[in-house]
Amino acid sequence: MALPYGIKHVSELPVEGKRVFVRVDFNVPLTKDKRVSDDTRIRATLPTIKHLIERDARIVLGSHLGRPDGQHKPEYSLEPVAARLAELLDQEVFLTDEPVGDGARKVVGDLRDGQVALLENLRFNPGEEENDEQLARTLASYCDVYINDAFGTAHRAHASTAGMAAFVADKGAGFVMAKEIDVLSKLLGDVERPYLAVVGGAKVSDKIEVLDALLGRVNAIAIGGAMANTFLKAQGKELQKSRVEEDKLPVARNFLRKAGERGVTVHLPVDVVVAPSLDAAEGRAVSIDHIPPGEMALDIGARTIEAYRKAVKEARTIFWNGPMGVFEKPQFAAGTVAIANAMAENKLALTVVGGGDSAAAVAQAGVADKVTHVSTGGGASLEFIQGVELPGIKALATS
Ligand code: ADP
Ligand code: MG
């Protein structure tokens, strides 16, 4: 894989016997009794960590967890993460008492080839989110090589994601980061056509920049989720109790006009699954012209699913962000599951999923390994797709 800006892959860097700092994303959910409840993000970094262990590097891991606001708050300790990582690696993981300081320096200095240390939550230090130069220099002094494998925080310019890279001679991308850059870059280049974007989720206001950016690249956009309601209302439909962003109607109208001018096809729902409330045990499909008073649209209907499935089947490049309905509830998940399956069935297309809830939906549908790529970054993947330069990626550039 050829990465942009001369970014090096960890496998190309000299790491034998060297101290290698790896910025990882161990921002995982914890149970009340402080155990890791979902270790997906820890598992995601294993290829990079095991690669470094096999090459006799001395590994220093750094991550944030939650929002401790620059203070040492024990409830945000990485201790449960260190324990889980040790189980997964089947070797000891040395957790430091603070992210930096005498204790951390000693742990890092005592590392032998193939051993692993984890710095305590980087956000215990206020300098992390401030991208403080002193903290960046201190972190850099703990290593000879800097690797970033935390794509999910690449859109943040923090001391460990951007600042410290300037003070380390050798730097590069880990396996997770490299795959993200490789696949997402393809979507910004010369793609196979038709290029379809499927966009859904909660709000037009969250995604309008993404939609605007996609307009310049795609052949068609299929819209679903609560976001579709605002577009439908902008077209004069009566949405009744459905979630609509009234203040975004002009934005939606403007978007539809621009799409028309550029020749981009916009697919909107022709039918929806409605119910009186989110708690209803079941919904029923109605035409978009006949939403009953007192009811709200909570998923796309069967005719819309067919139309979107056809668009997915015909496309050769597909980017999907945002569920088609309230997929957390099985009675309103059919539209989202159908899109996930259609993407998985299209073996001729480059199929990419981005966004936290969308990634969860693809996992729920059981097809995460049947699409080309599920991005680990929510905000980061959306910014990347917009063509925004991410500080965490720029910091790895060598050319
Ligand atoms: P992502 O995290 O993939 O970017 P979003 O956060 O934008 O996606 O949107 C996901 C949320 O949108 C889900 O919680 C889902 O329940 C909600 N949602 C989708 N469709 C509807 C709808 N018709 N009405 C209300 N909420 C919806
Ligand atoms: Mg979300």
Side-chain angles (χ1 to χ4, degrees), residues 21 32 37 113 116-117 137 151 160 261 317 336 339 361:
F21 179 96
K32 277 216 173 66
S37 60
D113 293 356
V116 179
R137 285 183 183 275
F151 179 73
S160 69
E261 284 167 9
T317 303
T336 302
I339 295 292

Side-chain angles (χ1 to χ4, degrees), residues 148-170:
N148 194 340
D149 212 19
F151 179 73
T153 50
H155 57 320
R156 307 270 180 244
H158 294 167
S160 69
T161 63
M164 69 180 286
F167 308 116
V168 184
D170 285 310

Side-chain angles (χ1 to χ4, degrees), residues 42-381:
I42 304 176
R43 288 177 184 275
T45 62
L46 292 178
T48 298
I49 299 172
K50 286 185 174 167
H51 170 87
L52 290 168
I53 292 172
E54 272 161 30
R55 292 178 63 199
D56 287 330
R58 305 173 179 201
I59 302 143
V60 182
L61 305 174
S63 177
H64 73 283
L65 175 67
R67 298 177 178 276
D69 294 328
Q71 290 167 49
H72 188 131
K73 294 185 183 160
E75 66 270 34
Y76 292 107
S77 170
L78 282 169
E79 207 175 325
V81 174
R84 184 71 192 120
L85 179 62
E87 279 171 19
L88 290 169
L89 289 175
D90 195 21
Q91 80 173 54
E92 208 169 342
V93 172
F94 304 99
L95 179 68
T96 64
D97 59 345
E98 295 289 344
V100 292
D102 293 343
R105 181 169 300 281
K106 174 147 182 26
V107 170
V108 168
D110 288 348
L111 281 179
R112 281 176 282 144
D113 293 356
Q115 288 191 326
V116 179
L118 172 61
L119 301 180
E120 184 53 285
N121 194 341
L122 294 168
R123 289 193 188 167
F124 283 178
N125 188 306
E128 166 64 356
E129 288 178 88
E130 290 162 10
N131 196 8
D132 175 64
E133 183 178 328
Q134 195 48 53
L135 177 63
R137 285 183 183 275
T138 305
L139 289 170
S141 75
Y142 292 172
C143 64
D144 311 300
V145 180
Y146 170 81
I147 298 294
N148 194 340
D149 212 19
F151 179 73
T153 50
H155 57 320
R156 307 270 180 244
H158 294 167
S160 69
T161 63
M164 69 180 286
F167 308 116
V168 184
D170 285 310
K171 55 195 172 181
F175 284 75
V176 174
M177 179 67 101
K179 174 147 194 245
E180 293 276 7
I181 299 174
D182 181 46
V183 179
L184 296 176
S185 299
K186 287 188 183 143
L187 293 179
L188 295 179
D190 252 336
V191 297
E192 267 199 71
R193 293 185 180 273
Y195 180 179
L196 170 74
V198 181
V199 185
K203 290 184 186 165
V204 175
S205 45
D206 285 347
K207 308 273 169 78
I208 189 65
E209 278 109 349
V210 184
L211 284 170
D212 272 336
L214 287 168
L215 216 45
R217 302 186 193 279
V218 303
N219 302 100
I221 303 184
I223 300 179
M227 181 186 299
N229 298 340
T230 303
F231 283 95
L232 290 165
K233 179 125 190 197
Q235 287 191 326
K237 305 290 181 194
E238 178 47 72
L239 273 293
Q240 305 294 356
K241 256 177 75 189
S242 309
R243 199 160 147 179
V244 171
E245 285 165 279
E246 298 286 346
D247 60 329
K248 290 292 172 292
L249 294 175
V251 170
R253 258 181 230 119
N254 196 25
F255 177 82
L256 293 171
R257 183 183 52 75
K258 280 189 285 184
E261 284 167 9
R262 288 177 177 239
V264 174
T265 307
V266 177
H267 300 279
L268 284 168
V270 291
D271 60 347
V272 286
V273 174
V274 298
S277 85
L278 276 163
D279 302 318
E282 56 177 26
R284 61 197 169 96
V286 298
S287 151
I288 200 66
D289 293 308
H290 300 105
I291 299 179
E295 305 222 2
M296 54 176 83
L298 296 170
D299 194 8
I300 54 175
R303 284 199 295 136
T304 305
I305 289 177
E306 262 334 291
Y308 288 13
R309 280 184 67 92
K310 187 161 173 281
V312 167
K313 194 172 173 188
E314 286 165 2
R316 289 298 170 266
T317 303
I318 308 165
F319 174 69
W320 177 23
N321 168 267
M324 297 288 101
V326 183
F327 76 101
E328 297 92 336
K329 309 211 172 205
Q331 61 274 38
F332 308 117
T336 302
V337 171
I339 295 292
N341 286 329
M343 280 185 74
E345 282 158 22
N346 187 341
K347 297 295 174 205
L348 299 174
L350 176 76
T351 47
V352 181
V353 181
D357 290 291
S358 319
V362 167
Q364 189 177 308
V367 297
D369 56 349
K370 297 197 175 70
V371 293
T372 311
H373 183 61
V374 181
S375 178
T376 53
S381 53

Side-chain angles (χ1 to χ4, degrees), residues 2-9 12-13 165 169-172 389-390 393-399:
L3 299 173
Y5 314 122
I7 294 174
K8 298 213 170 73
H9 190 275
E12 301 172 289
L13 289 164
D170 285 310
K171 55 195 172 181
E389 204 164 67
L390 308 187
I393 293 177
K394 198 69 210 301
L396 302 177
T398 63
S399 65

